[in-house]
Amino acid sequence: MDELTKLANKYASDKGTISPSVGHHGPRLHFTTIYGDYMEKIRFNRLRILEIGIGSGPSLKMWYDYFPNSEIHAIDVANQSTMNNERVTTHICDQSKRNDLENLMEKIGSFDIIIDDGSHVITHQQISLGTLFKHLNKNGQYWIEDLHTSDAEVWQGKNLYGYDMSFNAGEDTVSVLENYIDTKVFNSPFLNESENMFLTENVKECKMFELPKTMWGINKLCLLTK
C-alpha cells in the first residue's frame, strides 16, 4: 500500500481504501491510489496546495503529513480556523461565487496543486475550475473529485445541500471534461467565453480515471495539468 493511502486510512479520509470499523461511514473512493502516482515524486518539494472543502478535516491531516515541506490552504463555507497550524491555513469562501474565489486568490496567491473536494455540485465544480485554473502554476495539478454527481441515473431530480442536482444532457462535469479530451476545446455551459478559452489554451493534459463504482454512482477522478 502506498504512503498516501496509508495516511488516508489512518485519518479515516474517504479518499482512501478502508472504512473505519467504528461509526457510520460512506464508501471509500480510492482516490489516493491514483494521487500517489502523481504526487510521490514531488511530495518533499516546497509546494503550495489548495483544497476546496474541509468537512471534519481528515484530508488536511493527510496532506500535512504527506507534504512535510509544503504550505497548505483550504476553503470552506464554514469557519474551520481551529484546524489552522504553522503550515495549514483555512479560509471562509464559497466555491460557487467567482468573486469570492478571485478575491481570495488575490490575497493568497497561486498554487502548485488544487484539489476540488467541495460541494460536488456540477455548476460549482465547473465555476471553480474556470476561476481557479488561472491561479495554478505552470505544470501544476488540478484535481476534481466526486464526479459521481454527473451520474444522471442516480442524481437526476435529487437534492444536495439544498441544490437541485438535475441537469441537461452534456452539462454535467464528466461530459464537459470528456468532451474536452475528445475535441481539445473546453465548452462548459456554466463558464463564460473567456473562461472556456483560457482552459482550451492552457490545459496541457486532461486525464479521467475510473475507480470502483459506489452507491453514489460512477466514481471518477479527473486531473488537469497546466
Side-chain angles (χ1 to χ4, degrees), residues 41 133 136-142 180-181 184 186 198-207 223-226:
K41 61 189 175 187
F133 201 79
L136 188 68
N137 293 330
K138 185 177 180 180
N139 298 317
Q141 302 176 11
Y142 191 108
Y180 170 77
I181 291 171
K184 303 306 178 189
F186 215 93
F198 185 88
L199 289 166
T200 297
E201 294 176 349
N202 289 278
V203 171
K204 181 167 66 174
E205 188 174 25
C206 181
K207 290 185 177 182
L223 166 64
L224 300 101
T225 55
K226 190 172 183 181

Side-chain angles (χ1 to χ4, degrees), residues 5-23:
T5 299
K6 289 178 184 176
L7 289 170
N9 294 338
K10 174 183 176 180
Y11 292 120
S13 169
D14 65 359
K15 300 182 199 300
T17 60
I18 300 174
S19 293
S21 57
V22 178

Side-chain angles (χ1 to χ4, degrees), residues 119-125 146-168 171-173 190 216:
S119 68
H120 317 338
V121 178
I122 62 168
T123 53
H124 300 180
Q125 290 171 334
D146 301 298
L147 291 166
H148 54 264
T149 51
S150 289
D151 191 334
E153 290 186 9
V154 177
W155 289 95
Q156 201 76 333
K158 298 288 178 61
N159 189 280
L160 181 65
Y161 308 127
Y163 292 96
D164 180 5
M165 300 301 285
S166 302
F167 54 83
N168 297 320
E171 290 182 344
D172 62 281
T173 305
F190 306 113
W216 293 334

